[in-house]
Amino acid sequence: MITLNQVSFRWPAATQLCLSSLSLSVDAQEWIALVGDNGAGKSTLLRLLAGLLSPTSGTITLNDVPLSRYTALARARHTGILFQEAENQILHNQVFEEVAFGLRLQKYPKKHIHERTMAALALCGLEEVAHAHPLDLHVGQRRMVAVASLEVMAPPLLLLDEPSRDFDAHWLGMFERWLAVCKQRGTTVITISHDYAFARRHFPRAIRLESGRITDDGDSQTLLREG
């Protein structure tokens, strides 16, 4: 589904590469956890996969098409990203409008937008706060607003940055219920996680980054053993 060929990345003011000569293939419906210490390059890699950054060298292809050829609207149909800080991707002052925003950009009919948005809110446990301001919600609910915004679009590729953070037991259960729906739908998911128990539960393949390079790629049950 997505392929990196000798991808390197350097930040404009940096003298050293942040990512160096990464080659990686991800098949459709794979679930992969990216692990490694802070500063290893995981979040940068996720943003490259989302098309939010462009490689300094090398190529990234999505469905055999160079990622650079996709418009922003086309990328939104294919790929969704969940950032670590949910408030960084919230734009509207009402939960319903926030969740519906992606469908409006794609110019879907009003009835379709309403039905899809209400279904996403129900799945994510947000029906009762549909008219609340997202930033007035507690942190777990706020994160689920961002999740509902992904669910309403149902892209075939999801990129999740530390998705299990900020959830108490209840909201983690809601989030994992959503993951189960994504699994049934055949979604491809790549996540960054320091929560090895969460990663082992859901992601059969793990890739470890160190200093901008891939050092391990294998079975998460073996690679992410704790202790």
Side-chain angles (χ1 to χ4, degrees), residues 64-138:
D64 297 321
V65 177
L67 192 56
S68 58
R69 293 186 186 175
Y70 286 84
T71 65
L73 282 177
R75 287 202 310 270
R77 288 193 293 270
H78 289 278
T79 306
I81 185 167
L82 179 68
F83 294 106
Q84 284 194 43
E85 305 293 341
E87 52 267 29
N88 289 344
Q89 60 191 107
I90 289 176
L91 304 173
H92 295 84
N93 59 12
Q94 188 184 83
V95 169
F96 183 94
E97 292 302 319
E98 179 65 29
V99 175
F101 180 59
L103 295 178
R104 295 195 197 283
L105 284 180
Q106 301 287 344
K107 301 187 184 303
Y108 283 99
K110 288 184 179 179
K111 181 180 179 182
H112 179 85
I113 292 172
H114 185 270
E115 290 175 352
R116 285 273 293 271
T117 301
M118 291 307 298
L121 291 173
L123 177 61
C124 295
L126 299 171
E127 289 175 294
E128 294 184 0
V129 296
H131 301 294
H133 195 301
L135 299 184
D136 288 338
L137 305 178
H138 66 68

Side-chain angles (χ1 to χ4, degrees), residues 130-207:
H131 301 294
H133 195 301
L135 299 184
D136 288 338
L137 305 178
H138 66 68
V139 65
Q141 283 180 306
R142 211 160 50 227
R143 195 153 181 78
M144 287 305 294
V145 172
V147 169
S149 298
L150 297 177
E151 168 59 24
V152 79
M153 297 296 292
L157 173 63
L158 288 170
L159 307 169
L160 312 177
D161 196 348
E162 296 290 355
S164 62
R165 61 174 287 177
D166 298 329
F167 286 133
D168 59 19
H170 169 76
W171 287 105
L172 181 59
M174 296 295 293
F175 179 75
E176 292 187 318
R177 182 177 76 164
W178 173 70
L179 285 180
V181 170
C182 294
K183 176 73 78 173
Q184 292 171 358
R185 196 156 52 215
T187 308
T188 305
V189 185
I190 302 173
T191 190
I192 293 170
S193 185
H194 286 96
D195 182 346
Y196 283 7
F198 170 82
R200 288 198 307 271
R201 275 201 308 277
H202 298 288
F203 296 87
R205 180 181 174 190
I207 295 172

